[in-house]
């Protein structure tokens, strides 16, 4: 795939969705951080259901820390790995209060020092909360990048580095959201919906999935 093809891919994404954003529901950088921690190996839908109950009750580091692990667990029990996530969230709140004045840090090193926060989570927070041109690579973006030929790589770190290299600067801020939505709803894992894809003619995936035929 050449530079002109990549440019056209992101032009089409922008035309179809000029202002993409995360499907996680949040109002502050802290709420986003907690939501992303909770979303590991879970769907955004399940996280939103839990935080709609949690955030009206506790939406600051101090308030969630005051809940303690057991009470926090009662709010997030429907999310996968909820016990470990509850411990991570409480410890994260403690560190935010003790080391960062209750604010979400804007440095990657500080973010990645928080329990439950890896490179992907840090990238999401830096991009979505603070407007940094980072690209968080999850399973959807890894699949789309390799399947289309946009930014092939053997692991998520390689794909991230390749995306940062090949995505035109004007699209870098929104690239993460466009790619994850494309992977979530069109370029899905088992049977990509090539017949309904706005970049099918630019994609290197073969053979393209044909339009399903209706049973008579």
């Amino acid at each position: 795939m050449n530079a002109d093809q990549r440019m056209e891919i992101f032009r089409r994404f922008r035309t179809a969705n000029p202002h993409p954003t995360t499907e996680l529901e949040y109002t502050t950088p802290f709420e986003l951080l907690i939501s992303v921690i909770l979303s590991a190996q879970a769907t955004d839908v399940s996280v939103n259901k839990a935080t709609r109950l949690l955030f009206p009750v506790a939406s600051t580091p101090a308030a969630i820390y005051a809940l303690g692990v057991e009470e926090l667990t009662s709010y997030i029990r429907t999310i996968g790995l909820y016990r470990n996530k509850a411990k991570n969230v409480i410890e994260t709140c403690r560190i935010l209060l003790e080391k960062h004045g209750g604010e979400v840090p804007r440095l990657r090193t500080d973010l990645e020092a928080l329990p439950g926060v890896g490179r992907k989570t840090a990238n999401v927070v830096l991009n979505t909360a603070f407007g940094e041109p980072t690209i968080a690579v999850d399973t959807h973006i890894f699949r789309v990048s390799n399947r289309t030929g946009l930014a092939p790589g053997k692991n998520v770190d390689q794909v991230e580095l390749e995306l940062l290299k090949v995505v035109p600067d004007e699209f870098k801020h929104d690239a993460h959201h466009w790619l994850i939505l494309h992977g979530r709803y069109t370029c899905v894992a088992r049977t990509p919906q090539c017949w309904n894809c706005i970049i099918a003619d630019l994609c290197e995936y073969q053979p393209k999935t044909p339009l399903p035929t209706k049973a008579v």
Side-chain angles (χ1 to χ4, degrees):
M1 184 175 291
N2 60 43
D4 289 341
Q5 289 172 301
R6 294 187 181 97
M7 178 70 77
E8 180 59 22
I9 282 173
F10 286 103
R11 281 176 181 155
R12 293 184 191 181
F13 282 153
R14 181 171 62 187
T15 298
N17 186 2
H19 305 291
T21 189
T22 179
E23 293 185 319
L24 292 169
E25 298 172 359
Y26 73 98
T27 59
T28 65
F30 173 72
E31 288 185 357
L32 176 64
L33 172 63
I34 297 307
S35 293
V36 180
I37 292 174
L38 295 177
S39 71
Q41 300 182 49
T43 65
D44 289 357
V45 171
S46 67
V47 173
N48 289 338
K49 285 181 179 178
T51 57
R52 284 173 197 158
L53 299 174
L54 171 64
F55 288 157
V57 174
S59 61
T60 66
I64 290 183
Y65 185 69
L67 291 179
V69 172
E70 290 305 315
E71 190 169 354
L72 175 59
T73 297
S74 69
Y75 286 98
I76 65 171
R77 191 179 299 275
T78 55
I79 301 174
L81 307 175
Y82 65 91
R83 291 189 186 280
N84 194 50
K85 289 176 181 178
K87 293 176 183 177
N88 284 339
V89 167
I90 292 299
E91 183 63 8
T92 286
C93 290
R94 183 190 68 78
I95 294 172
L96 291 179
L97 291 167
E98 292 184 2
K99 296 187 177 181
H100 302 288
E103 299 294 324
V104 176
R106 300 185 64 148
L107 291 178
R108 176 186 297 281
T109 52
D110 290 337
L111 283 169
E112 292 186 12
L114 299 171
V117 177
R119 184 173 182 85
K120 184 182 76 172
T121 298
N123 277 337
V124 173
V125 173
L126 289 170
N127 177 275
T128 306
F130 300 130
E132 299 288 338
T134 58
I135 301 177
V137 178
D138 69 348
T139 55
H140 296 298
I141 296 178
F142 182 79
R143 178 175 66 253
V144 171
S145 297
N146 277 285
R147 181 184 277 168
T148 62
L150 175 66
K154 294 181 179 179
N155 54 55
V156 293
D157 291 337
Q158 287 184 8
V159 169
E160 180 186 341
L161 290 175
E162 189 65 17
L163 284 170
L164 290 171
K165 186 188 308 179
V166 303
V167 175
D169 288 344
E170 66 180 290
F171 301 117
K172 274 196 176 121
H173 177 262
D174 293 323
H176 161 78
H177 298 300
W178 283 320
L179 291 171
I180 195 171
L181 292 171
H182 191 65
R184 187 173 288 168
Y185 297 112
T186 303
C187 196
V188 295
R190 290 190 177 182
T191 308
Q193 298 178 14
C194 302
W195 69 90
N196 191 39
C197 176
I198 62 174
I199 63 167
D201 59 313
L202 301 167
C203 166
E204 296 178 357
Y205 175 71
Q206 297 293 339
K208 297 290 192 291
T209 308
L211 177 69
T213 56
K214 293 183 179 179
V216 178

